[in-house]
């Protein structure tokens, strides 16, 4: 079993920054992809960023490119999401997810991921 736990959300003013953390623990030997998604009220869950743990390949949604940076921690299944130049449009619940190679699909598809965290709220307002 794999458990995913994210943290680091909070409230920030427009233009500010936050750093989210995520760790997958348990039986993580087959995990090869970590992703961040977000969901605002009344909207569908959208992909934010993905990190392939074996190749260090990184991917970003167009809406966050050049503002958000995904990185890997000391453990292979620990990732961070550094968010800068935050705006009200970034307000959402942010979810971290982990995936094994057996699941098909691109990094930005929720169906690619088997294991999800409970989410951490990010609110950007003045």
């Amino acid at each position: 079993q794999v458990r995913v736990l994210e943290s680091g959300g909070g409230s920030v003013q427009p233009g500010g920054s936050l750093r989210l953390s995520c760790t997958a623990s348990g039986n993580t030997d087959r995990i090869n992809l970590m992703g961040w998604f977000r969901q605002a009220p009344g909207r569908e869950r959208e992909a934010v960023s993905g990190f392939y743990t074996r190749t260090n390949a990184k991917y970003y949604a167009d809406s966050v490119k050049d503002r958000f940076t995904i990185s890997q921690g000391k453990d292979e299944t620990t990732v961070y999401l550094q968010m800068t130049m935050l705006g009200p449009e970034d307000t959402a619940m942010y979810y971290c997810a982990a995936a094994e190679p057996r699941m098909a699909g691109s990094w930005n598809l929720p169906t690619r991921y088997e294991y999800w965290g409970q989410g951490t709220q990010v609110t950007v307002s003045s």
Side-chain angles (χ1 to χ4, degrees):
Q1 189 68 6
V2 175
R3 182 187 180 204
V4 177
L5 183 65
E6 62 276 82
S7 63
S11 295
V12 65
Q13 292 187 338
S17 300
L18 281 174
R19 187 195 194 206
L20 305 183
S21 300
C22 172
T23 296
S25 59
N27 188 14
T28 60
D29 289 351
R30 290 187 292 274
I31 298 297
N32 77 323
L33 172 63
M34 301 288 290
W36 286 99
F37 290 76
R38 66 186 181 185
Q39 188 167 18
R43 302 188 66 175
E44 291 187 358
R45 188 169 296 191
E46 65 170 337
V48 175
S49 182
F51 184 96
Y52 285 87
T53 61
R54 310 289 166 81
T55 64
N56 289 349
K58 305 175 184 181
Y59 297 90
Y60 299 95
D62 287 343
S63 59
V64 306
K65 202 172 294 185
D66 299 327
R67 298 190 299 124
F68 291 10
T69 302
I70 193 169
S71 61
Q72 189 177 43
K74 187 171 60 174
D75 295 328
E76 192 172 83
T77 56
T78 293
V79 291
Y80 304 102
L81 187 68
Q82 180 67 47
M83 307 185 294
T84 65
M85 294 184 286
L86 286 163
E89 69 277 10
D90 297 311
T91 295
M93 184 71 78
Y94 283 70
Y95 297 91
C96 182
E100 298 178 354
R102 61 178 177 168
M103 303 300 289
S106 177
W107 72 271
N108 58 336
L109 297 177
T111 53
R112 175 71 171 82
Y113 299 82
E114 301 152 277
Y115 310 106
W116 291 82
Q118 294 299 306
T120 185
Q121 178 68 37
V122 172
T123 302
V124 185
S125 70
S126 54

Short mmCIF file of all heavy atoms in Angstrom, two decimals, residues 16-65:
data_model
loop_
_atom_site.label_atom_id
_atom_site.label_comp_id
_atom_site.label_asym_id
_atom_site.label_seq_id
_atom_site.Cartn_x
_atom_site.Cartn_y
_atom_site.Cartn_z
N GLY A 16 2.81 36.57 -4.32
CA GLY A 16 3.58 35.84 -3.32
C GLY A 16 3.98 34.45 -3.78
O GLY A 16 3.71 34.04 -4.91
N SER A 17 4.61 33.73 -2.85
CA SER A 17 5.12 32.40 -3.14
C SER A 17 4.74 31.42 -2.04
O SER A 17 4.52 31.81 -0.89
CB SER A 17 6.65 32.44 -3.24
OG SER A 17 7.09 33.30 -4.25
N LEU A 18 4.66 30.16 -2.43
CA LEU A 18 4.44 29.07 -1.49
C LEU A 18 5.21 27.86 -1.99
O LEU A 18 5.44 27.71 -3.20
CB LEU A 18 2.96 28.71 -1.37
CG LEU A 18 2.06 29.56 -0.51
CD1 LEU A 18 0.61 29.10 -0.65
CD2 LEU A 18 2.49 29.52 0.96
N ARG A 19 5.56 26.99 -1.06
CA ARG A 19 6.22 25.75 -1.41
C ARG A 19 5.42 24.59 -0.85
O ARG A 19 5.24 24.50 0.37
CB ARG A 19 7.64 25.71 -0.86
CG ARG A 19 8.47 24.52 -1.33
CD ARG A 19 9.70 24.37 -0.47
NE ARG A 19 10.69 23.48 -1.05
CZ ARG A 19 11.57 22.82 -0.32
NH1 ARG A 19 11.58 22.93 0.98
NH2 ARG A 19 12.46 22.04 -0.92
N LEU A 20 4.97 23.73 -1.74
CA LEU A 20 4.24 22.53 -1.34
C LEU A 20 5.18 21.34 -1.28
O LEU A 20 6.10 21.24 -2.10
CB LEU A 20 3.10 22.23 -2.31
CG LEU A 20 2.09 23.36 -2.56
CD1 LEU A 20 0.98 22.86 -3.49
CD2 LEU A 20 1.51 23.88 -1.27
N SER A 21 4.93 20.47 -0.33
CA SER A 21 5.74 19.25 -0.19
C SER A 21 4.85 18.03 -0.31
O SER A 21 3.67 18.07 0.06
CB SER A 21 6.43 19.23 1.18
OG SER A 21 7.27 20.33 1.35
N CYS A 22 5.41 16.96 -0.81
CA CYS A 22 4.65 15.72 -0.97
C CYS A 22 5.59 14.53 -0.79
O CYS A 22 6.68 14.51 -1.37
CB CYS A 22 4.00 15.66 -2.34
SG CYS A 22 3.24 14.07 -2.72
N THR A 23 5.13 13.57 -0.01
CA THR A 23 5.89 12.34 0.16
C THR A 23 4.98 11.14 -0.02
O THR A 23 3.91 11.09 0.59
CB THR A 23 6.55 12.27 1.54
OG1 THR A 23 7.50 13.32 1.67
CG2 THR A 23 7.25 10.95 1.74
N ALA A 24 5.41 10.21 -0.84
CA ALA A 24 4.73 8.91 -0.96
C ALA A 24 5.51 7.92 -0.11
O ALA A 24 6.73 7.81 -0.23
CB ALA A 24 4.68 8.45 -2.40
N SER A 25 4.81 7.19 0.75
CA SER A 25 5.47 6.24 1.64
C SER A 25 4.79 4.89 1.55
O SER A 25 3.69 4.76 1.00
CB SER A 25 5.44 6.76 3.08
OG SER A 25 4.12 6.96 3.51
N GLY A 26 5.45 3.89 2.10
CA GLY A 26 4.92 2.53 2.04
C GLY A 26 5.62 1.73 0.96
O GLY A 26 6.83 1.84 0.78
N ASN A 27 4.87 0.99 0.20
CA ASN A 27 5.42 0.14 -0.85
C ASN A 27 5.62 0.96 -2.13
O ASN A 27 4.85 0.87 -3.07
CB ASN A 27 4.49 -1.05 -1.10
CG ASN A 27 5.11 -2.05 -2.04
OD1 ASN A 27 6.31 -2.02 -2.31
ND2 ASN A 27 4.28 -2.96 -2.56
N THR A 28 6.68 1.76 -2.14
CA THR A 28 6.88 2.73 -3.23
C THR A 28 7.88 2.28 -4.29
O THR A 28 8.25 3.06 -5.17
CB THR A 28 7.35 4.08 -2.65
OG1 THR A 28 8.59 3.88 -1.96
CG2 THR A 28 6.32 4.67 -1.72
N ASP A 29 8.33 1.05 -4.22
CA ASP A 29 9.37 0.60 -5.14
C ASP A 29 9.00 0.77 -6.61
O ASP A 29 9.87 1.01 -7.44
CB ASP A 29 9.69 -0.88 -4.87
CG ASP A 29 10.44 -1.08 -3.57
OD1 ASP A 29 10.84 -0.06 -2.97
OD2 ASP A 29 10.61 -2.23 -3.14
N ARG A 30 7.72 0.64 -6.93
CA ARG A 30 7.31 0.71 -8.34
C ARG A 30 6.86 2.10 -8.76
O ARG A 30 6.55 2.33 -9.93
CB ARG A 30 6.20 -0.30 -8.61
CG ARG A 30 6.68 -1.74 -8.57
CD ARG A 30 5.57 -2.68 -9.01
NE ARG A 30 4.49 -2.71 -8.05
CZ ARG A 30 4.46 -3.50 -6.99
NH1 ARG A 30 5.47 -4.32 -6.75
NH2 ARG A 30 3.42 -3.48 -6.16
N ILE A 31 6.84 3.04 -7.85
CA ILE A 31 6.43 4.40 -8.21
C ILE A 31 7.45 5.02 -9.15
O ILE A 31 8.64 5.05 -8.86
CB ILE A 31 6.27 5.28 -6.96
CG1 ILE A 31 5.19 4.73 -6.03
CG2 ILE A 31 5.94 6.72 -7.36
CD1 ILE A 31 3.81 4.71 -6.63
N ASN A 32 6.99 5.53 -10.30
CA ASN A 32 7.91 6.19 -11.22
C ASN A 32 7.46 7.58 -11.62
O ASN A 32 8.14 8.27 -12.38
CB ASN A 32 8.14 5.34 -12.47
CG ASN A 32 6.97 5.41 -13.44
OD1 ASN A 32 5.82 5.46 -13.02
ND2 ASN A 32 7.26 5.43 -14.73
N LEU A 33 6.33 8.01 -11.12
CA LEU A 33 5.80 9.32 -11.51
C LEU A 33 5.09 9.94 -10.32
O LEU A 33 4.25 9.31 -9.68
CB LEU A 33 4.82 9.16 -12.69
CG LEU A 33 4.03 10.40 -13.11
CD1 LEU A 33 4.97 11.50 -13.61
CD2 LEU A 33 3.01 10.03 -14.20
N MET A 34 5.42 11.20 -10.05
CA MET A 34 4.75 11.99 -9.03
C MET A 34 4.13 13.20 -9.72
O MET A 34 4.77 13.83 -10.56
CB MET A 34 5.74 12.45 -7.96
CG MET A 34 6.47 11.34 -7.24
SD MET A 34 5.41 10.42 -6.12
CE MET A 34 5.15 11.64 -4.82
N GLY A 35 2.92 13.51 -9.35
CA GLY A 35 2.25 14.63 -10.00
C GLY A 35 1.54 15.53 -9.03
O GLY A 35 1.19 15.13 -7.92
N TRP A 36 1.35 16.76 -9.47
CA TRP A 36 0.55 17.73 -8.74
C TRP A 36 -0.66 18.10 -9.59
O TRP A 36 -0.52 18.38 -10.79
CB TRP A 36 1.35 18.99 -8.43
CG TRP A 36 2.35 18.84 -7.34
CD1 TRP A 36 3.69 18.63 -7.48
CD2 TRP A 36 2.10 18.90 -5.93
NE1 TRP A 36 4.30 18.56 -6.24
CE2 TRP A 36 3.33 18.72 -5.27
CE3 TRP A 36 0.96 19.08 -5.15
CZ2 TRP A 36 3.47 18.72 -3.88
CZ3 TRP A 36 1.08 19.08 -3.77
CH2 TRP A 36 2.32 18.90 -3.15
N PHE A 37 -1.80 18.11 -8.96
CA PHE A 37 -3.05 18.53 -9.58
C PHE A 37 -3.69 19.58 -8.69
O PHE A 37 -3.33 19.72 -7.52
CB PHE A 37 -4.01 17.35 -9.75
CG PHE A 37 -3.56 16.36 -10.79
CD1 PHE A 37 -2.53 15.47 -10.53
CD2 PHE A 37 -4.18 16.31 -12.03
CE1 PHE A 37 -2.11 14.55 -11.49
CE2 PHE A 37 -3.78 15.40 -12.99
CZ PHE A 37 -2.75 14.53 -12.72
N ARG A 38 -4.65 20.30 -9.23
CA ARG A 38 -5.40 21.25 -8.42
C ARG A 38 -6.85 21.27 -8.87
O ARG A 38 -7.16 20.96 -10.02
CB ARG A 38 -4.79 22.65 -8.49
CG ARG A 38 -4.86 23.32 -9.85
CD ARG A 38 -4.10 24.63 -9.83
NE ARG A 38 -4.16 25.32 -11.11
CZ ARG A 38 -3.49 26.44 -11.37
NH1 ARG A 38 -2.70 26.99 -10.45
NH2 ARG A 38 -3.61 27.01 -12.56
N GLN A 39 -7.69 21.66 -7.94
CA GLN A 39 -9.11 21.74 -8.25
C GLN A 39 -9.71 22.91 -7.50
O GLN A 39 -9.66 22.97 -6.27
CB GLN A 39 -9.83 20.44 -7.87
CG GLN A 39 -11.27 20.39 -8.34
CD GLN A 39 -11.86 19.00 -8.23
OE1 GLN A 39 -11.35 18.13 -7.53
NE2 GLN A 39 -12.94 18.76 -8.96
N ALA A 40 -10.26 23.82 -8.27
CA ALA A 40 -10.97 24.97 -7.70
C ALA A 40 -12.45 24.63 -7.62
O ALA A 40 -12.95 23.79 -8.36
CB ALA A 40 -10.74 26.19 -8.57
N PRO A 41 -13.18 25.30 -6.72
CA PRO A 41 -14.61 25.01 -6.59
C PRO A 41 -15.34 25.17 -7.92
O PRO A 41 -15.15 26.15 -8.62
CB PRO A 41 -15.08 26.06 -5.57
CG PRO A 41 -13.87 26.37 -4.77
CD PRO A 41 -12.72 26.28 -5.73
N GLY A 42 -16.14 24.18 -8.27
CA GLY A 42 -16.92 24.23 -9.49
C GLY A 42 -16.15 23.93 -10.76
O GLY A 42 -16.70 24.02 -11.86
N ARG A 43 -14.89 23.56 -10.60
CA ARG A 43 -14.07 23.27 -11.79
C ARG A 43 -13.52 21.86 -11.71
O ARG A 43 -13.47 21.24 -10.65
CB ARG A 43 -12.92 24.27 -11.89
CG ARG A 43 -13.39 25.71 -11.97
CD ARG A 43 -12.26 26.65 -12.27
NE ARG A 43 -11.71 26.42 -13.61
CZ ARG A 43 -10.77 27.18 -14.14
NH1 ARG A 43 -10.26 28.18 -13.46
NH2 ARG A 43 -10.31 26.93 -15.35
N GLU A 44 -13.12 21.35 -12.87
CA GLU A 44 -12.54 20.02 -12.91
C GLU A 44 -11.11 20.04 -12.37
O GLU A 44 -10.44 21.07 -12.38
CB GLU A 44 -12.54 19.50 -14.36
CG GLU A 44 -13.91 19.20 -14.90
CD GLU A 44 -13.86 18.53 -16.25
OE1 GLU A 44 -12.75 18.33 -16.78
OE2 GLU A 44 -14.93 18.19 -16.79
N ARG A 45 -10.68 18.87 -11.94
CA ARG A 45 -9.30 18.74 -11.49
C ARG A 45 -8.37 18.91 -12.69
O ARG A 45 -8.60 18.30 -13.74
CB ARG A 45 -9.10 17.38 -10.83
CG ARG A 45 -7.76 17.21 -10.15
CD ARG A 45 -7.74 15.96 -9.30
NE ARG A 45 -8.70 16.04 -8.20
CZ ARG A 45 -8.74 15.18 -7.19
NH1 ARG A 45 -7.85 14.19 -7.13
NH2 ARG A 45 -9.64 15.32 -6.25
N GLU A 46 -7.35 19.72 -12.53
CA GLU A 46 -6.43 19.97 -13.63
C GLU A 46 -5.00 19.64 -13.22
O GLU A 46 -4.61 19.84 -12.07
CB GLU A 46 -6.52 21.42 -14.12
CG GLU A 46 -6.07 22.45 -13.12
CD GLU A 46 -5.94 23.84 -13.72
OE1 GLU A 46 -5.76 23.95 -14.95
OE2 GLU A 46 -5.98 24.82 -12.94
N ALA A 47 -4.24 19.18 -14.19
CA ALA A 47 -2.84 18.85 -13.94
C ALA A 47 -2.02 20.13 -13.82
O ALA A 47 -2.26 21.10 -14.55
CB ALA A 47 -2.30 17.98 -15.05
N VAL A 48 -1.09 20.13 -12.91
CA VAL A 48 -0.20 21.27 -12.70
C VAL A 48 1.22 20.93 -13.12
O VAL A 48 1.83 21.65 -13.89
CB VAL A 48 -0.23 21.71 -11.22
CG1 VAL A 48 0.79 22.81 -10.98
CG2 VAL A 48 -1.63 22.15 -10.82
N SER A 49 1.73 19.81 -12.61
CA SER A 49 3.12 19.45 -12.90
C SER A 49 3.33 17.97 -12.65
O SER A 49 2.65 17.37 -11.82
CB SER A 49 4.06 20.27 -12.01
OG SER A 49 5.41 19.99 -12.30
N GLY A 50 4.29 17.39 -13.37
CA GLY A 50 4.62 15.99 -13.20
C GLY A 50 6.12 15.79 -13.18
O GLY A 50 6.87 16.55 -13.81
N PHE A 51 6.54 14.78 -12.44
CA PHE A 51 7.97 14.49 -12.30
C PHE A 51 8.17 12.99 -12.40
O PHE A 51 7.67 12.24 -11.57
CB PHE A 51 8.47 15.02 -10.96
CG PHE A 51 9.95 14.87 -10.76
CD1 PHE A 51 10.81 15.91 -11.05
CD2 PHE A 51 10.50 13.68 -10.26
CE1 PHE A 51 12.18 15.78 -10.87
CE2 PHE A 51 11.87 13.54 -10.07
CZ PHE A 51 12.70 14.60 -10.38
N TYR A 52 8.92 12.56 -13.41
CA TYR A 52 9.26 11.15 -13.55
C TYR A 52 10.50 10.88 -12.72
O TYR A 52 11.58 11.41 -12.98
CB TYR A 52 9.49 10.79 -15.01
CG TYR A 52 8.21 10.69 -15.80
CD1 TYR A 52 7.66 11.81 -16.40
CD2 TYR A 52 7.53 9.47 -15.91
CE1 TYR A 52 6.47 11.72 -17.11
CE2 TYR A 52 6.35 9.38 -16.61
CZ TYR A 52 5.82 10.50 -17.21
OH TYR A 52 4.64 10.41 -17.91
N THR A 53 10.33 10.04 -11.71
CA THR A 53 11.37 9.90 -10.69
C THR A 53 12.62 9.19 -11.19
O THR A 53 13.70 9.40 -10.64
CB THR A 53 10.82 9.13 -9.48
OG1 THR A 53 10.41 7.82 -9.91
CG2 THR A 53 9.64 9.85 -8.87
N ARG A 54 12.52 8.37 -12.22
CA ARG A 54 13.70 7.62 -12.69
C ARG A 54 14.51 8.42 -13.72
O ARG A 54 15.70 8.22 -13.86
CB ARG A 54 13.25 6.30 -13.32
CG ARG A 54 12.31 5.51 -12.43
CD ARG A 54 13.00 4.92 -11.22
NE ARG A 54 12.06 4.45 -10.21
CZ ARG A 54 11.42 3.29 -10.27
NH1 ARG A 54 11.61 2.48 -11.30
NH2 ARG A 54 10.59 2.94 -9.31
N THR A 55 13.84 9.30 -14.46
CA THR A 55 14.51 10.06 -15.52
C THR A 55 14.68 11.53 -15.17
O THR A 55 15.36 12.26 -15.89
CB THR A 55 13.72 9.98 -16.83
OG1 THR A 55 12.45 10.60 -16.65
CG2 THR A 55 13.54 8.53 -17.26
N ASN A 56 14.06 11.98 -14.10
CA ASN A 56 14.06 13.39 -13.71
C ASN A 56 13.37 14.28 -14.73
O ASN A 56 13.59 15.51 -14.73
CB ASN A 56 15.47 13.90 -13.45
CG ASN A 56 16.07 13.34 -12.18
OD1 ASN A 56 15.37 12.73 -11.38
ND2 ASN A 56 17.36 13.50 -12.00
N ALA A 57 12.57 13.73 -15.60
CA ALA A 57 11.83 14.55 -16.56
C ALA A 57 10.73 15.31 -15.84
O ALA A 57 10.03 14.75 -14.99
CB ALA A 57 11.23 13.66 -17.65
N LYS A 58 10.57 16.57 -16.20
CA LYS A 58 9.61 17.44 -15.54
C LYS A 58 8.65 18.00 -16.58
O LYS A 58 9.07 18.35 -17.68
CB LYS A 58 10.32 18.59 -14.83
CG LYS A 58 11.38 18.15 -13.85
CD LYS A 58 12.11 19.34 -13.27
CE LYS A 58 13.24 18.88 -12.35
NZ LYS A 58 13.96 20.02 -11.74
N TYR A 59 7.41 18.15 -16.18
CA TYR A 59 6.39 18.69 -17.07
C TYR A 59 5.53 19.69 -16.31
O TYR A 59 5.30 19.53 -15.10
CB TYR A 59 5.52 17.57 -17.64
CG TYR A 59 6.30 16.60 -18.50
CD1 TYR A 59 6.90 15.48 -17.93
CD2 TYR A 59 6.47 16.82 -19.85
CE1 TYR A 59 7.64 14.61 -18.70
CE2 TYR A 59 7.21 15.94 -20.63
CZ TYR A 59 7.79 14.84 -20.05
OH TYR A 59 8.52 13.98 -20.82
N TYR A 60 5.05 20.69 -17.05
CA TYR A 60 4.23 21.73 -16.45
C TYR A 60 3.04 22.05 -17.34
O TYR A 60 3.13 22.00 -18.56
CB TYR A 60 5.04 23.01 -16.25
CG TYR A 60 6.24 22.85 -15.34
CD1 TYR A 60 7.49 22.60 -15.86
CD2 TYR A 60 6.09 22.96 -13.96
CE1 TYR A 60 8.59 22.45 -15.04
CE2 TYR A 60 7.19 22.81 -13.12
CZ TYR A 60 8.43 22.56 -13.67
OH TYR A 60 9.51 22.41 -12.85
N ALA A 61 1.95 22.43 -16.70
CA ALA A 61 0.83 22.98 -17.44
C ALA A 61 1.24 24.36 -17.95
O ALA A 61 2.03 25.06 -17.31
CB ALA A 61 -0.40 23.08 -16.54
N ASP A 62 0.68 24.75 -19.08
CA ASP A 62 1.01 26.06 -19.65
C ASP A 62 0.71 27.19 -18.68
O ASP A 62 1.40 28.21 -18.64
CB ASP A 62 0.24 26.27 -20.95
CG ASP A 62 0.78 25.42 -22.09
OD1 ASP A 62 1.92 24.92 -21.97
OD2 ASP A 62 0.05 25.25 -23.07
N SER A 63 -0.32 27.01 -17.87
CA SER A 63 -0.77 28.07 -16.97
C SER A 63 0.21 28.34 -15.84
O SER A 63 0.13 29.39 -15.19
CB SER A 63 -2.14 27.72 -16.40
OG SER A 63 -2.08 26.50 -15.70
N VAL A 64 1.13 27.41 -15.58
CA VAL A 64 2.06 27.59 -14.47
C VAL A 64 3.51 27.60 -14.91
O VAL A 64 4.41 27.86 -14.09
CB VAL A 64 1.87 26.50 -13.39
CG1 VAL A 64 0.41 26.44 -12.94
CG2 VAL A 64 2.33 25.14 -13.87
N LYS A 65 3.73 27.35 -16.18
CA LYS A 65 5.10 27.31 -16.68
C LYS A 65 5.79 28.64 -16.41
O LYS A 65 5.20 29.69 -16.56
CB LYS A 65 5.08 27.01 -18.19
CG LYS A 65 6.36 26.44 -18.74
CD LYS A 65 6.17 26.01 -20.19
CE LYS A 65 5.21 24.86 -20.29
NZ LYS A 65 5.10 24.35 -21.67
#
